[in-house]
Amino acid sequence: MKISTLILRSMRKNIKHYYLYFFALIFSSALYFSFVTLQHNDAIDQLTQSSIKAGAGFKVGAVMLVVIVFFFVFYANQLFLKRRSKEIGLYQIVGMPKSTISYILALENLLLWVAALVAGILIGFLFSRFFALIFLKIIHVDGLVMLDFSFIALVQTLIVFAGLFIIVLIQTTWVVNRSTLLQLFHTTSNSEQKMKKMSPIQLILGAVGLAAIVYGYYLSTTIFNINESANENTLFIKMGVVLASVIIGTYFVFRFSIALIMNAIRSSKNGHLSLKDVLAVSPIMHRMKSNALSLSIITVLTALALTVLSLSSITYYSIGAQIEQYTPYDMSVVNDEGSAFEKSLQAKEINYRTDHYELLNVPIDFTPVMKNEEAKQASKGNQYSDTIVLKESDVKKKLPSISLNKNEAYILGYNSIFQKIMPLEIGNQMKLRVNNSIKHLKLIGVEAKNSVPSEITYGGKKTIVLSDQLFNQIKTNKQILKQTGWRTYTGYTIINSEQMDKAISLYKKSTKGGIFTSHSKGDFSPEEQFSIKSETYKHSLENIGLLIFVTGFLGLAFLLATGSILYFKQMTEAEEERESFKTLRKIGFTTDEIMKGIRRKQLFSFGIPLVVGVCHSYFAVKSGWMLFGTELVIPLVVTIGIYIVLYSIFAILSTKYYRKIVNDSLPQ
């Protein structure tokens, strides 16, 4: 028989096992080619004004995709070699040299990869424009993108996938040359372990695994706690300990804790196991030793994908709220320099609304209202900080619910980050210093929103609202006035959004691009350029839109890789259990009765990595979500919900494959 005939027969025989692998290769190559095509397309960069070039974002996404594809093809090829171990052994028995066997497998892979790569590149080219339109839709940019076939992208794709293919060939050759006949014919049995009574050490390690995960979760909630020794090094040390604790704990849970739980379930039955128990519990226990590492890796990758997707979603979802917090008005003018701008607006008949604020820069000590003793100690020796102070009657224009007595104060601009790191005690008294006198102010409330932009508050720091009486009293102090660089602020709101572009043009022309000079001589930089709200929103949307676009597709690639690997493993196990199903069918059990136990097994195989991965990602996101946005629940729930729905497809496919094996085990 010719080798070519043998290869074609082998591929025809194994096509039912290869189809999902083939589809995954097509998807990966299509996505990679699309990313590289967009990376080398200047039209995308020209349509965006972001400081981060879209091409650079697609380049990072392409590199990350290669890492995902490498993990997938390496592990999938390992599973396929395991499935074909007896076939490889038979080739050796009939006298075929190992070099010839490697050659046959290499040609099979080559045909599969070439077909997948050709299909993937064609699909990637056809969908490149579609992906570009999705990206522009995410960042709210209107425009047409003309895409030509990129030969640079083609060459780059061929080089990358040729490198991955060489790795697969090396792996295949290594397995064939290093495996003995005995190993090839006992691969299945080697993956199973004879269940014995668990030793005390195994019991301890099982408990250690659970404890390590719980400890990692607890430590993640304290990462941003402030204490005397808190610094950048301790932060990274804590993160490293959390990662190590959770990852090691995950492996111990799958290697020992699950077996401990299964043993407990089996013991509780007193030897009276039902069919569902035999089909669900026993296979899991027998294969847990060989599956522990792969399930741990899949769980960690699931957690990583969900964490990245959730944080990206939180950032994208919170853009509007964050811009509102740092740039509350469409345009800004300080120190009463807005007369020329207002005249130009009136001349062009542009309707607008203004809110005017008086400002003071006053030293305030916040340590008495800090809840954490560690935060108080960290501020020791530098209690008083220059803080922008606003008048109650001015703030009521934006926040009408505020009401103050003379010696009361309200804090604005204290966002979720500050509330997490340095929570404040409502009802305690702050200290306000005017020359050598100290005034005590009772804190009666905290608000995340602010009434003035971040340029005035030194990069987004908190501001204080005082009663009109106390504010006017402090304003008479010459020293306070001298150290106040921005003495007034006027926020402009354009009524008709269709006139926004014209108003922005007039603003830039009449204010020299929004640049103003501070009155204070002591400022490090007396000139400050104030942001325009719509432009800031657009730039932020482009940066974060690129992030959500790239991470979204990478998350889909992660999902495809992990789901496919689990599906391949279940296909392999189903084939190994075919004889058991045949025996059960012969003694009278129906397909539906057998499937009840199999569904339990699938629930474990797919459900446990997903549930543990979701828990890992939840605590990871919860520990630092406030650094990325203002809303946690909705983006997190939506992201996890979509991921679970897509992930469940692989569980359904594997269950259907099991049903097919059970039906075919006893021909009609």
Side-chain angles (χ1 to χ4, degrees), residues 327 396 535:
T327 311
K396 277 183 176 292
E535 291 185 351

Side-chain angles (χ1 to χ4, degrees), residues 404-441:
L404 300 171
N405 294 322
K406 181 180 178 181
N407 292 320
E408 293 179 340
Y410 209 97
I411 291 180
L412 303 181
Y414 207 71
N415 58 31
S416 54
I417 300 174
F418 291 118
Q419 291 178 25
K420 169 72 175 178
I421 297 175
M422 289 189 293
L424 302 179
E425 190 72 55
I426 305 299
N428 285 8
Q429 292 190 336
M430 304 176 290
K431 297 178 183 178
L432 182 150
R433 185 175 66 194
V434 180
N435 293 341
N436 294 323
S437 63
I438 304 295
K439 294 184 179 296
H440 293 273
L441 302 172

Side-chain angles (χ1 to χ4, degrees), residues 259-488:
L260 176 64
I261 295 170
M262 294 299 174
N263 262 316
I265 293 174
R266 190 173 65 171
S267 299
S268 66
K269 303 287 185 177
N270 294 321
H272 303 289
L273 297 178
S274 65
L275 176 64
K276 289 186 288 186
D277 295 327
V278 171
L279 292 173
V281 178
S282 297
I284 293 170
M285 294 176 67
H286 286 295
R287 292 193 176 95
M288 188 47 63
K289 182 178 180 180
S290 60
N291 288 346
L293 181 60
S294 60
L295 290 176
S296 300
I297 292 173
I298 289 170
T299 300
V300 172
L301 289 177
T302 299
L304 176 63
L306 280 172
T307 300
V308 172
L309 287 170
S310 298
L311 292 177
S312 300
S313 301
I314 288 170
T315 306
Y316 185 77
Y317 187 85
S318 305
I319 293 175
Q322 288 187 319
I323 297 300
E324 184 69 29
Q325 181 177 338
Y326 294 110
T327 311
Y329 293 93
D330 292 330
M331 280 152 271
S332 304
V333 167
V334 291
N335 296 338
D336 297 321
E337 296 181 19
S339 57
F341 176 48
E342 292 183 11
K343 287 178 182 178
S344 63
L345 289 175
Q346 293 165 5
K348 297 295 183 180
E349 298 182 347
I350 296 177
N351 296 323
Y352 65 94
R353 184 179 68 250
T354 62
D355 288 337
H356 188 74
Y357 298 85
E358 292 185 66
L359 311 171
L360 293 174
N361 192 353
V362 183
I364 295 180
D365 178 13
F366 293 96
T367 52
V369 298
M370 293 179 181
K371 280 187 177 182
N372 295 339
E373 287 298 324
E374 293 86 353
K376 292 181 180 180
Q377 293 298 323
S379 301
K380 195 172 183 179
N382 190 27
Q383 291 96 330
Y384 286 92
S385 59
D386 289 339
T387 306
I388 296 297
V389 172
L390 306 176
K391 187 163 59 174
E392 178 189 358
S393 58
D394 292 340
V395 175
K396 277 183 176 292
K397 303 166 190 174
K398 194 79 173 174
L399 300 169
S401 61
I402 291 179
S403 179
L404 300 171
N405 294 322
K406 181 180 178 181
N407 292 320
E408 293 179 340
Y410 209 97
I411 291 180
L412 303 181
Y414 207 71
N415 58 31
S416 54
I417 300 174
F418 291 118
Q419 291 178 25
K420 169 72 175 178
I421 297 175
M422 289 189 293
L424 302 179
E425 190 72 55
I426 305 299
N428 285 8
Q429 292 190 336
M430 304 176 290
K431 297 178 183 178
L432 182 150
R433 185 175 66 194
V434 180
N435 293 341
N436 294 323
S437 63
I438 304 295
K439 294 184 179 296
H440 293 273
L441 302 172
K442 182 181 179 181
L443 178 63
I444 65 167
V446 175
E447 174 63 50
K449 294 180 181 179
N450 212 333
S451 296
V452 293
S454 58
E455 291 87 356
I456 287 178
T457 60
Y458 310 106
K461 293 182 181 179
K462 54 188 174 292
T463 57
I464 303 297
V465 184
L466 302 179
S467 65
D468 287 19
Q469 182 181 356
L470 181 57
F471 184 93
N472 292 330
Q473 179 183 336
I474 297 172
K475 189 172 68 172
T476 60
N477 187 281
K478 293 182 179 180
Q479 181 62 33
I480 294 295
L481 282 178
K482 185 179 179 181
Q483 67 189 30
T484 301
W486 311 112
R487 296 177 185 175
T488 64

